[in-house]
Amino acid sequence: MKNIMYGIIILVLGVLITLTIITATGIMNRQVEIDDSLALAVDSAIDNCMEKKTYTVNDNEEFVQDVMQRLDKAVENDGTITIKVRNVDYEKGFIAMTVEEEYKTPIGSTRTAEYSTIKYFDDSPTRDYVIVSFLDEKNSPIRRQRVIMDTKIEAPEIENVKGWVVCDEKGNVTDNTPYDLNTNLAKEDTTLKAVV
């Protein structure tokens, strides 16, 4: 009888430990997804603003307001989005900002996702980075990142991806030659599509 009780207690503890591990892993995965989604939404909002209008560093307040309007439309949850301007350099022509998204988890706790970026305006010196976008085989965005010019590009780790090819922003392959991330350095804005 004593052994049966020990067995039941060990079984209950095992189930509780397993549930705790699964819950913690789920929360961490969700945080990564939200961080990546926020980064994509911010970069997309910035790009959309820059396509519609040419801003100068003196227009930084208008630029932040326009980005905020686009983010409000792009992010579909009941969270709160805040843009904090960390620095505006009028000589170098850039604005450094942090976008924070506060959201509630399914269990009711509040979490924050954060993404920091620097935007160089057209009247500024040449930027020292390029934008590299990664698409999956179905042309869905995986990640968009800034890479310092003339450095290696680090691809996201995805199962079953054999390599990458250069494509346009819609996923239409422009060069079937496999893109070698070990030898090609970041020279210009590039979109890479996964080959499975």
Side-chain angles (χ1 to χ4, degrees), residues 27-70:
I27 289 171
M28 290 186 327
N29 287 343
R30 180 70 178 137
Q31 182 71 36
V32 169
E33 287 174 9
I34 292 211
D35 288 343
D36 290 346
S37 297
L38 181 62
L40 282 171
V42 170
D43 287 337
S44 177
I46 289 173
D47 290 345
N48 287 338
C49 286
M50 299 308 287
E51 286 175 10
K52 305 278 189 230
K53 182 179 178 186
T54 302
Y55 296 89
T56 65
V57 71
N58 295 321
D59 301 327
N60 66 72
E61 290 178 12
E62 180 184 359
F63 172 73
V64 170
Q65 290 173 352
D66 290 348
V67 169
M68 187 66 181
Q69 287 176 348
R70 283 182 171 69

Side-chain angles (χ1 to χ4, degrees), residues 184-196:
N184 290 332
L185 300 179
K187 299 282 186 191
E188 61 185 359
D189 291 355
T190 307
T191 302
L192 298 174
K193 182 175 180 176
V195 176
V196 292

Side-chain angles (χ1 to χ4, degrees), residues 12-187:
V12 169
L13 286 175
V15 168
L16 288 175
I17 290 171
T18 303
L19 289 175
T20 302
I21 291 171
I22 290 171
T23 303
T25 303
I27 289 171
M28 290 186 327
N29 287 343
R30 180 70 178 137
Q31 182 71 36
V32 169
E33 287 174 9
I34 292 211
D35 288 343
D36 290 346
S37 297
L38 181 62
L40 282 171
V42 170
D43 287 337
S44 177
I46 289 173
D47 290 345
N48 287 338
C49 286
M50 299 308 287
E51 286 175 10
K52 305 278 189 230
K53 182 179 178 186
T54 302
Y55 296 89
T56 65
V57 71
N58 295 321
D59 301 327
N60 66 72
E61 290 178 12
E62 180 184 359
F63 172 73
V64 170
Q65 290 173 352
D66 290 348
V67 169
M68 187 66 181
Q69 287 176 348
R70 283 182 171 69
L71 275 176
D72 280 341
K73 292 177 186 173
V75 177
E76 296 180 7
N77 70 23
D78 55 354
T80 305
I81 295 177
T82 308
I83 297 178
K84 295 179 181 176
V85 177
R86 295 188 331 261
N87 187 16
V88 177
D89 191 321
Y90 291 94
E91 285 183 22
K92 295 179 181 173
F94 73 83
I95 182 172
M97 58 188 187
T98 299
V99 179
E100 292 180 353
E101 178 185 9
E102 193 173 277
Y103 63 96
K104 290 198 180 263
T105 63
I107 59 173
S109 63
T110 302
R111 295 204 177 257
T112 303
E114 183 176 284
Y115 178 66
S116 296
T117 186
I118 297 174
K119 174 62 189 147
Y120 286 90
F121 295 98
D122 288 340
D123 61 345
S124 67
T126 307
R127 64 183 185 179
D128 60 350
Y129 65 90
V130 297
I131 304 294
V132 180
S133 302
F134 293 93
L135 305 177
D136 65 14
E137 69 279 2
K138 297 176 183 173
N139 300 331
S140 298
I142 300 170
R143 184 191 326 170
R144 186 179 172 139
Q145 63 191 33
R146 286 181 170 80
V147 178
I148 296 174
M149 195 88 68
D150 295 322
T151 61
K152 286 186 179 180
I153 299 169
E154 290 188 32
E157 293 182 21
I158 302 171
E159 291 182 32
N160 303 326
V161 171
K162 296 177 184 172
W164 302 91
V165 291
V166 177
C167 64
D168 64 16
E169 291 177 0
K170 295 180 181 175
N172 302 318
V173 176
T174 57
D175 185 357
N176 283 322
T177 308
Y179 192 87
D180 187 357
L181 295 171
N182 293 320
T183 59
N184 290 332
L185 300 179
K187 299 282 186 191

Side-chain angles (χ1 to χ4, degrees), residues 1-21:
M1 189 67 164
K2 201 179 208 182
N3 289 337
I4 293 175
M5 290 302 290
Y6 286 141
I8 291 173
I9 291 172
I10 290 173
L11 179 67
V12 169
L13 286 175
V15 168
L16 288 175
I17 290 171
T18 303
L19 289 175
T20 302
I21 291 171

